[in-house]
Amino acid sequence: MTWRPQYRCSKFRHVFGKPATKENCFDGVPITRSVQDNNFCAVNPRFLAVITECGGGGAFLVFSLHHTGKLDPHHPRVSGHRGNVLDIKWNPFNDYCIASCSEDTSVKVWEIPPHGVMKNLTVPWKDLHGHSRRVSLVEWHPTANNILFSTGYDYQVMIWNLDSPEQVIKNPVRTIMHHSDVVLSMSFNTDGSLLATTCKDRKVRLMEPRTGNLLQEGNCKTHKASKVLVLGNMKMLVTTGTSRWNERQIALWDQDDLSVPLLAENLDGSSGVLFPYYDPDTHMLYLAGKGDGNIRYYELSSEKPYIHYLADYRSLLPQKGMAAMPKRGLDVSSCEVFRFYKLVTIKSLIEPVSMIVPRRSESYQEDIYPMTASNRPALTADEWLSGVDKGPVLMSLKPGSQLPEPHSDMKGLANSTDTRRSQSRPGMLPLAYIQDRPETKDAKEAAGHAEDDRTSLTNGEDLALCSPPKTENELRQKFHKQQEEIRRLRELLGQRDVRIKQLELEIKNIKNSQSHGSA
């Protein structure tokens, strides 16, 4: 028999990590010195939030992604907690809403002004009191609007409905009490119908988040899990932890049988916690260790051997925590498939790291950007609490594409959310609203204004929210971005002129054919 080498065909075999230049990093950030095994930062397409070191109470910073460079040491903070802040998470459906939890046993939800934090924020939008000890983790439901999960050192997982009219909420809609020790991590599947947790008692649990029913419980003596992720719709879980010889280990589990892992692989002997990040669109898994300088990444499959090692991104700067940008915030023109924001405590630096698929063509690559989860909720909080499960509303990342029209019962939700606070994409909902109205003169004028507002968001940057450049490098970057935008608009105008001429010729041909037919 002829020997044949075993090669795997993969579009992501040559993915590489590209750190941002110094001008595009965030310098002088007073990153917290907390030893909690959390990420300490969160990011969305508009803002970056990082837990900071401060005296008296707890606080975190929120600043625009475009305000790179040296941070003002007197930058305003979000400082309403009486104890150290332990975790922060952005609302996936509202780029101006962030949740935080603290050692003061409270969970607070904040509304960030559209222009950023201009003065210290001390009054939250919602104040949640139910835990009896410090709260260590918060997590948003992936498809239902305004549903928040929290857990702390009282070993309880609490579910909060933020649609409640009260500003201070003292009673969660449900409390899950299956854990005998501190919950270390929480993760949902794609439609939010399953919740996986890891606990300090070494057990991995899978439960229904709405009812709190325990579905599976795994306790493997050879693997002590610290972090867990549900792998989308692959019906598998991945955990990171340690082996019985204290080697860092990654384990893969069958969702329907948590008695024994499908696969367990030892990585190294370091002591830092491994944080897993999963991209369900590309089936890529990233592992970043606390205190490490490297990021490992793998490709997952539903068949043996399940995990396929791709490469490492290596750096001399150790990370204290990482934040992952949602897919809708990536730069598709450079074939970016993932982006980390890396906290470097020893330099008070936040460094963006882009994971890029090398391609020669500069056009949009549809094969590496399938439809992905959008910033529109699939359910209201009441619908989810009544027993409905829905997958996420999908969107295309192709430039110029728009989200599909919301379901009829979700239009009211979108309009009410728009009137209460700004949407994450200015101009989108007003334009959809205008298109539903009759074609009157006023409607056309309003549509024109909405189109103008929408075109003011260029290169992923809202010009109205940008501060003037402070240094020569910033001025040069703004100039190059402006030149690129002018070139793009000229190309767009040229394409529209060609299309107009084509339509005029078609109309002329139709008229000529009709006149010949009548003759």
Side-chain angles (χ1 to χ4, degrees):
M1 184 185 297
T2 305
W3 177 82
R4 294 179 182 176
Q6 296 295 318
Y7 291 119
R8 282 187 63 251
C9 289
S10 173
K11 293 175 282 192
F12 308 105
R13 184 187 303 170
H14 303 293
V15 168
F16 66 95
K18 182 180 179 182
T21 58
K22 189 174 176 85
E23 293 81 9
N24 292 318
C25 294
F26 304 88
D27 198 7
V29 183
I31 301 169
T32 179
R33 298 191 186 97
S34 171
V35 295
Q36 189 83 12
D37 288 330
N38 285 344
N39 287 308
F40 303 118
C41 58
V43 68
N44 66 28
R46 289 188 180 274
F47 297 110
L48 175 63
V50 57
I51 301 174
T52 182
E53 193 69 23
C54 67
F60 60 95
L61 292 168
V62 175
F63 38 88
S64 170
L65 286 183
H66 311 298
H67 294 170
T68 54
K70 189 78 173 178
L71 183 72
D72 183 359
H74 302 291
H75 191 284
R77 308 183 183 203
V78 183
S79 53
H81 285 286
R82 291 178 284 107
N84 291 331
V85 178
L86 299 181
D87 194 22
I88 49 177
K89 292 282 169 56
W90 287 104
N91 188 335
F93 311 120
N94 183 4
D95 289 346
Y96 301 96
C97 180
I98 187 170
S100 63
C101 62
S102 166
E103 291 182 351
D104 63 8
T105 73
S106 69
V107 178
K108 299 182 189 292
V109 183
W110 308 85
E111 284 187 330
I112 305 302
H115 295 275
V117 180
M118 300 299 182
K119 61 180 181 180
N120 286 346
L121 279 182
T122 57
V123 180
W125 172 53
K126 296 287 184 183
D127 203 351
L128 315 178
H129 294 273
H131 290 278
S132 58
R133 299 183 66 186
R134 57 181 172 174
V135 188
S136 56
L137 287 173
V138 287
E139 199 74 48
W140 294 91
H141 193 277
T143 60
N145 195 44
N146 286 337
I147 292 290
L148 183 66
F149 287 69
S150 66
T151 183
Y153 281 68
D154 54 4
Y155 312 156
Q156 299 177 355
V157 178
M158 295 187 179
I159 308 173
W160 305 90
N161 179 8
L162 303 185
D163 284 342
S164 176
E166 297 88 7
Q167 193 265 337
V168 178
I169 304 175
K170 296 185 177 180
N171 296 314
V173 293
R174 185 168 296 280
T175 301
I176 300 174
M177 296 184 290
H178 293 303
H179 303 90
S180 59
D181 211 324
V182 179
V183 178
L184 301 177
S185 68
M186 298 187 290
S187 177
F188 292 94
N189 66 340
T190 304
D191 62 1
S193 60
L194 295 175
L195 173 66
T197 63
T198 52
C199 184
K200 215 169 179 180
D201 62 5
R202 305 174 63 105
K203 293 182 181 179
V204 181
R205 293 174 174 85
L206 189 68
M207 61 194 77
E208 292 180 350
R210 186 188 300 106
T211 61
N213 293 336
L214 186 63
L215 302 177
Q216 293 281 334
E217 186 175 272
N219 185 10
C220 182
K221 294 182 179 179
T222 60
H223 177 75
K224 183 180 179 181
S226 60
K227 302 294 178 183
V228 64
L229 277 182
V230 182
L231 300 179
N233 291 322
M234 292 182 69
K235 292 192 174 183
M236 288 192 291
L237 279 68
V238 64
T239 58
T240 60
T242 56
S243 67
R244 63 172 61 179
W245 295 281
N246 272 345
E247 290 183 315
R248 290 199 297 191
Q249 192 178 59
I250 178 175
L252 204 64
W253 306 76
D254 184 355
Q255 183 176 293
D256 299 324
D257 182 13
L258 297 182
S259 58
V260 178
L262 296 172
L263 176 74
E265 182 178 331
N266 293 338
L267 299 178
D268 55 39
S270 299
S271 59
V273 174
L274 279 173
F275 293 97
Y277 303 87
Y278 179 63
D279 182 0
D281 300 332
T282 60
H283 300 296
M284 287 182 66
L285 175 71
Y286 302 86
L287 298 180
K290 188 175 181 179
D292 295 357
N294 65 325
I295 302 173
R296 300 175 176 89
Y297 41 101
Y298 305 79
E299 192 171 3
L300 303 184
S301 64
S302 55
E303 300 175 352
K304 289 184 178 181
Y306 304 115
I307 298 179
H308 307 277
Y309 172 76
L310 293 176
D312 272 25
Y313 163 75
R314 296 185 180 274
S315 169
L316 297 176
L317 300 176
Q319 60 245 6
K320 183 182 179 70
M322 307 276 275
M325 172 67 76
K327 293 298 287 285
R328 56 191 173 87
L330 299 181
D331 180 12
V332 296
S333 62
S334 62
C335 297
E336 183 183 36
V337 292
F338 215 79
R339 189 192 306 161
F340 293 99
Y341 285 80
K342 173 178 171 180
L343 302 186
V344 184
T345 311
I346 59 174
K347 290 196 172 184
S348 299
L349 184 75
I350 301 179
E351 180 187 44
V353 178
S354 298
M355 311 306 294
I356 294 174
V357 179
R359 295 282 173 97
R360 290 185 178 180
S361 174
E362 295 182 358
S363 60
Y364 177 71
Q365 307 291 312
E366 293 191 11
D367 60 322
I368 61 175
Y369 294 115
M371 297 288 283
T372 189
S374 70
N375 61 337
R376 181 172 290 160
L379 296 166
T380 63
D382 291 336
E383 286 175 337
W384 182 79
L385 292 171
S386 66
V388 181
D389 287 318
K390 279 185 184 179
V393 178
L394 301 179
M395 65 178 288
S396 172
L397 297 180
K398 188 172 184 178
S401 62
Q402 294 186 10
L403 280 171
E405 282 297 311
H407 194 266
S408 58
D409 58 351
M410 293 302 296
K411 286 187 179 180
L413 168 68
N415 291 335
S416 64
T417 308
D418 185 49
T419 56
R420 185 165 58 85
R421 55 181 177 260
S422 303
Q423 288 293 321
S424 59
R425 292 199 172 189
M428 181 187 299
L429 287 179
L431 184 61
Y433 169 70
I434 289 164
Q435 288 173 348
D436 289 339
R437 295 170 60 189
E439 287 294 326
T440 63
K441 183 178 179 180
D442 294 338
K444 290 181 180 178
E445 289 179 359
H449 290 308
E451 186 69 26
D452 292 341
D453 291 341
R454 196 167 44 144
T455 55
S456 69
L457 189 70
T458 59
N459 291 335
E461 182 169 342
D462 195 342
L463 300 181
L465 303 184
C466 292
S467 62
K470 299 177 181 178
T471 64
E472 185 179 351
N473 286 331
E474 288 185 9
L475 182 62
R476 189 180 295 111
Q477 288 177 1
K478 299 285 184 184
F479 172 76
H480 289 313
K481 284 185 178 181
Q482 191 178 45
Q483 293 298 313
E484 180 67 22
E485 183 66 15
I486 291 172
R487 183 191 63 78
R488 189 184 68 82
L489 290 174
R490 281 177 178 167
E491 290 180 357
L492 188 61
L493 285 174
Q495 293 173 1
R496 289 185 176 178
D497 288 340
V498 171
R499 181 59 179 161
I500 288 170
K501 289 179 180 179
Q502 290 175 348
L503 292 174
E504 288 176 348
L505 287 174
E506 289 179 6
I507 292 171
K508 189 175 180 180
N509 291 336
I510 291 172
K511 287 182 178 178
N512 289 337
S513 62
Q514 288 177 350
S515 61
H516 288 309
S518 60

